[in-house]
Amino acid sequence: MQFALNDIQLSIKKMAREITVKEFAPRAAHVDETGEFPWDNVAQMRDAGFLGMTIPEEYGGGGFDEVSFNCVVEEISRACISTSGILCAHFLGVKPLIIAGSEEQKRKYLPLLAGEMLGSFAITEANAGSDAAAMATSAARHGDEYVLNGTKVFITNGGEAGQTIVFAKTDPTAGARGVSSFIVEKGTPGLSFGKKENKMGDRGSCIRELIFEDCRVPRENRVGKEGDGFKIAMKTLDDTRTSIGAQAVGLAQGAFDAALDYAKQRVVFGKPIAQHQAIAFMLADMATEIEAARLLVYRAAALLDAQAERYSAESAMAKLFASEMSHRVVHKALQIHGGYGYMKEYPIERFYRDQRIIEIYEGTSEIQRMVISSNLIR
Ligand SMILES: Cc1cc2nc3c(=O)[nH]c(=O)nc-3n(C[C@H](O)[C@H](O)[C@H](O)COP(=O)(O)OP(=O)(O)OC[C@H]3O[C@@H](n4cnc5c(N)ncnc54)[C@H](O)[C@@H]3O)c2cc1C
């Protein structure tokens, strides 16, 4: 069993680290405070090739493996979860095309997504989040077009992305089997966007409603067969949720680094708090948990690279453990900072707020437990 990253993975990780330290870290507090969509960071990611990383080279991408991609997400998340969130949501818009897109769709959209166009993925509705198959958005076939009606909520990159993969019912009587997926470009008549939501954390990556009112989409924009949309969505999430685990590992590492520095400097009762065993043991537990989660994330990504038959449960385990681990780590990191950790002057309160979303999006912890247990039981 190989536990080390290879030379290419190591150099990509190093490059992501350098860009993060130079570009994203200095802007992270401003992005959080203002909630501005960090287009500068998106441009940096585009220039570094991150937007096209796992897109095959024949479609203009970098052709890199999932382990490398997860390393990039991890490194960016050490400083700015909003930026890594934009990247992860972009790949939610890319993956369905790689999984089920026609050759024409791949040739048309993947080169754009590898460079100038942000992607997004719209499945959630006000009454259909975890229970996504309960969606009400409809796509009625009229000749060579589908007419979409309904509203999606909480869509990351919504309004900023040039393209969205939208899931809608072509057969409202058939449950999950009645769902189909479509490429909808920004600017398509009948598609409008709601206001930018005001979030507790992860404040730079915007979420908006997508409102479809007789939005006409050409038949050639349907991804996969009619009725295959739900399967495509679930396969996409199997492939992408590991990267949310990578966000958790990176965020926890960022919080840990801040806590370790602080613990070495802050003196109480005549010595640095790191030398009080209660604090030293907290640091030991944090470092151990981060390492365990990192291994789960890399393993799930490696299984995906190896096109293993099974990785649905493994990617859910990586996301579940890493996200809940990051909760415990930010809690301890703030505790180590004492009262100062509660102040805006220190980055730890931002990590604390940002962390919470990792346990919710791309499937809550409860949904990950359902995925894992159903794989165990069947
Ligand atoms: C910042 C942010 C970004 C997002 N980005 C996107 C995006 O880009 N695209 C997109 O389509 N969606 C996106 N979402 C939506 C997100 O995936 C959903 O919010 C999430 O899946 C949970 O759905 P819900 O909010 O409707 O909660 P609900 O499904 O109503 O769940 C409420 C609670 O019940 C629990 N629960 C649900 N079902 C069960 C069950 N069977 N057993 C036990 N407990 C259960 C849940 O775990 C949760 O604790 C985003 C959300 C946020 C907040």
Side-chain angles (χ1 to χ4, degrees):
M1 188 170 199
Q2 175 61 267
F3 279 105
L5 298 175
N6 66 33
D7 287 348
I8 296 172
Q9 292 158 349
L10 279 173
S11 72
I12 289 169
K13 196 167 197 274
K14 183 164 170 274
M15 177 174 83
R17 177 85 197 121
E18 285 165 2
I19 295 172
T20 300
V21 168
K22 186 160 170 256
E23 307 288 346
F24 306 154
R27 293 198 274 264
H30 176 79
V31 165
D32 172 62
E33 222 168 278
T34 59
E36 279 168 19
F37 191 80
W39 275 111
D40 288 353
N41 293 358
V42 174
Q44 296 279 347
M45 291 198 287
R46 182 198 56 218
D47 294 349
F50 296 162
L51 297 183
M53 268 198 86
T54 58
I55 294 177
E57 283 173 290
E58 58 190 297
Y59 302 115
F64 289 99
D65 59 13
E66 292 289 337
V67 172
S68 300
F69 176 67
N70 278 274
C71 287
V72 167
V73 172
E74 176 191 340
E75 289 301 332
I76 296 174
S77 304
R78 282 172 75 166
C80 186
I81 203 84
S82 296
T83 302
S84 63
I86 291 166
L87 182 62
C88 291
H90 168 72
F91 273 96
L92 277 171
V94 167
K95 277 283 177 182
L97 294 173
I98 295 179
I99 291 168
S102 67
E103 192 54 30
E104 276 155 25
Q105 289 168 346
K106 287 179 182 170
R107 297 232 167 266
K108 181 172 175 189
Y109 288 101
L110 290 178
L112 292 173
L113 289 160
E116 60 213 59
M117 187 189 262
L118 264 188
S120 58
F121 174 98
I123 193 164
T124 304
E125 298 180 5
N127 292 316
S130 304
D131 184 10
M135 69 179 69
T137 297
S138 59
R141 176 102 175 252
H142 288 285
D144 277 347
E145 291 179 324
Y146 287 90
V147 182
L148 270 61
N149 278 291
T151 301
K152 297 289 175 183
V153 300
F154 297 159
I155 306 308
T156 306
N157 296 344
E160 311 293 337
Q163 163 266 32
T164 307
I165 302 290
V166 180
F167 297 86
K169 290 253 171 94
T170 39
D171 181 355
T173 63
R177 289 202 184 87
V179 176
S180 301
S181 49
F182 303 91
I183 306 162
V184 183
E185 291 186 31
K186 186 177 176 181
T188 305
L191 166 63
S192 59
F193 300 99
K195 69 171 175 20
K196 189 171 167 174
E197 303 293 348
N198 191 6
K199 295 191 259 102
M200 154 186 174
D202 179 30
R203 289 178 50 77
S205 92
C206 76
I207 58 172
R208 287 194 173 91
E209 282 184 354
L210 268 56
I211 303 151
F212 300 92
E213 291 167 306
D214 289 333
C215 176
R216 292 177 175 275
V217 177
R219 190 170 59 138
E220 61 263 24
N221 278 25
R222 192 189 69 223
V223 181
K225 291 197 220 115
E226 234 181 60
D228 275 358
F230 199 73
K231 267 197 281 178
I232 295 168
M234 292 306 113
K235 168 87 174 90
T236 297
L237 293 170
D238 274 352
D239 285 13
T240 57
R241 71 167 78 90
T242 303
S243 66
I244 307 304
Q247 276 196 303
V249 171
L251 179 135
Q253 186 69 55
F256 172 82
D257 293 344
L260 181 63
D261 275 357
Y262 189 81
K264 285 183 191 165
Q265 284 160 24
R266 176 70 170 171
V267 174
V268 298
F269 297 100
K271 58 184 180 184
I273 56 171
Q275 288 179 25
H276 291 279
Q277 196 181 55
I279 301 290
F281 278 16
M282 272 195 218
L283 291 166
D285 287 344
M286 292 156 83
T288 306
E289 286 215 73
I290 293 169
E291 211 48 54
R294 183 175 282 123
L295 287 174
L296 275 179
V297 165
Y298 289 1
R299 182 186 69 144
L303 285 173
L304 182 52
D305 283 330
Q307 309 227 312
E309 241 174 71
R310 287 182 35 213
Y311 60 83
S312 178
E314 286 75 5
S315 67
M317 284 174 186
K319 201 255 180 190
L320 172 66
F321 182 80
S323 58
E324 294 193 345
M325 171 284 296
S326 65
H327 188 135
R328 294 188 289 274
V329 166
V330 291
H331 177 86
K332 290 189 176 107
L334 198 148
Q335 195 68 15
I336 288 171
H337 280 74
Y340 295 97
Y342 203 63
M343 301 298 136
K344 291 266 181 196
E345 280 75 12
Y346 285 81
I348 213 69
E349 68 84 32
R350 173 166 54 82
F351 282 113
Y352 193 84
R353 286 182 287 108
D354 285 350
Q355 184 282 327
R356 208 56 190 80
I357 190 56
I358 301 176
E359 293 173 84
I360 293 169
Y361 60 17
E362 290 209 27
T364 61
S365 293
E366 292 70 35
I367 295 304
Q368 304 311 323
R369 288 186 168 89
M370 281 169 62
V371 172
I372 297 163
S373 57
S374 67
N375 272 275
L376 294 174
I377 294 161
R378 78 161 164 230

